[in-house]
Amino acid sequence: MTSTNTSASVPDFAAEAAVIADDLIALRRELHANPELGNDLPETQARVLAALEGLPLEITTGQSLTSVTAVLRGAKPGPTVLLRGDMDALPVVEETGLPYASTNGNMHACGHDLHTAGLVGAARLLSAHQAELPGNVVFMFQPGEEGPGGAAPMVAEGVLDAAGVRADAAFGIHVLPGPRGVFNTRPATVMAGANIMRVTFNGMGGHGSMPEKALDPVPPLIEFCAALQTMVTRRFSVFDPVVATITNLSAGEAVNVIPPSASMGASVRTLSAETTAEFPRRARQLAESIAAAHGCTAEFTFDSIYPVTVNDHAQTRFALDTLTRVFGADRVVELDTPRMGSEDFSYVLREVPGTFCFLQASPPEVDPETAEVNHSPRVLFDDAVLADQAAALAVLAFAHNTGS
């Protein structure tokens, strides 16, 4: 952990966050009712700017996207830490029945409304202690995490150097269904890389009654889809697994016509850079071999959307110890395995050592075992966790910069 040599007492951010909890809940519900998609979030950006007004922050907005970057400069010299919250929603029609549910056809079905409000809360808490704070805190309000990706453009526009020096550490928190108020994370790989594979088999169309006079691309497509699952279990270690889920199949429209081409698409999740590089090589070889055996050809594409999210060991141990000290051991649980979801905070963690944490946030009336998951139109997050979310971000930043 990078820190100053001067240890300082960490404020009671949990108690201070409870005082502003109602404000954070009101902001979250306003954001929830007005979700926006992608990297163009003008109303969300305006609400964030209004919520930060009056704080001692140096604020800039994005050039290619509607991001907000705010810098708090402490009164003493010290390191720089970055805190991130994503702001975008999903193209999901909400079915929660909440009084503040969205009605515009989009939904904060992944909890980014809580992330945004929680980061505003952390900015308020830390700003109140500017005189005691060494170094700088960069608040990264990011669009586009659900796509097309906002972290990489923000990094390109200089968010990691927004304080005039490169950030020494970075932290983010994401809400998930589960027993309310429990934090999770782990060192090393914490979330999978997201990749998209597409394969098109090209043959020669013809009449459905005379397949011998055509080169039917459907059989190699079917054979490849089955062989792909075998390849995953025979060519990759169970200790560095791959999840390849076929989500699209396309061929002809008329039942009496052999189409000239047939295609598939798959979501591929990987847990290491090595596997991310190796999978497309093996999958391409498999597709081309099967196509050739049927007299067809194969067109293969593999796009890496987000890299693997890798937590720094030292920063993760610091985060686990710090959160345990503040919230208690029963509310901080180290994960045994990574989660197979993906995150573009991975782009930040490729450049800066840091940690991505989870905060479970199911309402008390919802059974965590049967709770709807992120991206469901009926998923519910209890915004009573907002005070602790804001406090957690604030304490990680303050403790990092003071070495407390």
Side-chain angles (χ1 to χ4, degrees):
M1 180 184 75
T2 304
S3 65
T4 62
N5 293 324
T6 302
S7 180
S9 176
V10 177
D12 188 352
F13 286 121
E16 294 178 19
V19 175
I20 64 171
D22 288 347
D23 291 347
L24 302 183
I25 290 171
L27 174 60
R28 179 262 168 154
R29 295 184 179 187
E30 185 179 2
L31 294 168
H32 190 91
N34 299 278
E36 296 177 289
L37 305 180
N39 280 335
D40 187 24
L41 316 175
E43 293 184 15
T44 304
Q45 183 189 55
R47 288 184 171 90
V48 169
L49 291 171
L52 298 177
E53 189 173 356
L55 299 180
L57 303 171
E58 300 170 11
I59 296 177
T60 57
T61 55
Q63 301 168 26
S64 63
L65 70 173
T66 54
S67 60
V68 176
T69 300
V71 178
L72 174 65
R73 297 194 184 277
K76 306 173 184 179
T80 295
V81 63
L82 181 145
L83 303 177
R84 179 268 210 162
D86 40 3
M87 305 188 294
D88 60 312
L90 287 154
V92 172
V93 177
E94 184 163 356
E95 299 176 9
T96 61
L98 293 169
Y100 50 89
S102 166
T103 58
N104 69 3
N106 303 322
M107 179 185 174
H108 272 295
C110 205
H112 296 186
D113 49 338
L114 281 87
H115 304 169
T116 303
L119 189 57
V120 167
R124 289 181 60 175
L125 295 171
L126 289 164
S127 292
H129 292 276
Q130 184 182 26
E132 307 145 54
L133 176 70
N136 312 297
V137 182
V138 178
F139 302 93
M140 176 183 179
F141 292 90
Q142 179 210 307
E145 192 282 324
E146 299 292 356
M154 288 192 73
V155 170
E157 291 186 5
V159 68
L160 303 182
D161 304 293
V165 293
R166 175 59 56 112
D168 299 288
F171 300 99
I173 293 177
H174 198 300
V175 295
L176 292 175
R180 187 178 65 183
V182 176
F183 294 89
N184 303 120
T185 192
R186 71 188 303 272
T189 299
V190 68
M191 296 188 77
N195 313 277
I196 295 174
M197 177 180 66
R198 293 185 175 88
V199 184
T200 298
F201 293 89
N202 296 309
M204 183 174 66
H207 200 288
S209 67
M210 296 179 284
E212 74 280 4
K213 296 185 179 296
L215 289 175
D216 190 348
V218 174
L221 172 67
I222 295 170
E223 188 174 331
F224 172 75
C225 290
L228 181 69
Q229 302 306 318
T230 302
M231 185 197 81
V232 163
T233 62
R234 296 299 183 271
R235 297 300 184 189
F236 295 94
S237 169
V238 294
F239 301 106
D240 188 7
V242 173
V243 174
T245 303
I246 298 167
T247 53
N248 299 123
L249 290 170
S250 178
E253 296 293 333
V255 295
N256 61 345
V257 175
I258 294 173
S261 63
S263 61
M264 60 83 69
S267 168
V268 181
R269 302 297 169 120
T270 51
L271 291 176
S272 70
E274 293 75 16
T275 298
T276 304
E278 180 67 8
F279 181 88
R281 187 186 72 80
R282 291 191 178 277
R284 180 190 295 273
Q285 183 183 55
L286 182 68
E288 291 177 347
S289 298
I290 290 174
H294 288 265
C296 296
T297 60
E299 299 174 27
F300 181 94
T301 63
F302 186 84
D303 298 312
S304 291
I305 308 304
Y306 294 158
V308 178
T309 304
V310 182
N311 282 344
D312 178 78
H313 281 265
Q315 296 295 351
T316 303
R317 184 50 51 196
F318 157 75
L320 288 166
D321 292 345
T322 300
L323 294 175
T324 298
R325 188 168 68 244
V326 174
F327 298 103
D330 60 327
R331 290 186 54 192
V332 182
V333 179
E334 186 170 344
L335 295 172
D336 293 324
T337 59
R339 297 186 179 275
M340 295 309 293
S342 302
E343 246 292 340
D344 73 343
F345 192 59
S346 52
Y347 287 106
V348 173
L349 294 182
R350 289 205 305 188
E351 303 291 332
V352 175
T355 300
F356 194 64
C357 302
F358 303 103
L359 174 57
Q360 297 180 67
S362 289
E365 69 273 14
V366 174
D367 182 355
E369 296 297 321
T370 59
E372 301 272 352
V373 298
N374 295 49
H375 295 208
S376 164
R378 293 175 297 278
V379 66
L380 294 170
F381 299 111
D382 190 343
D383 45 27
V385 303
L386 273 172
D388 285 346
Q389 183 179 352
L393 289 168
V395 76
L396 288 172
F398 195 94
H400 175 273
N401 280 16
T402 59
S404 301

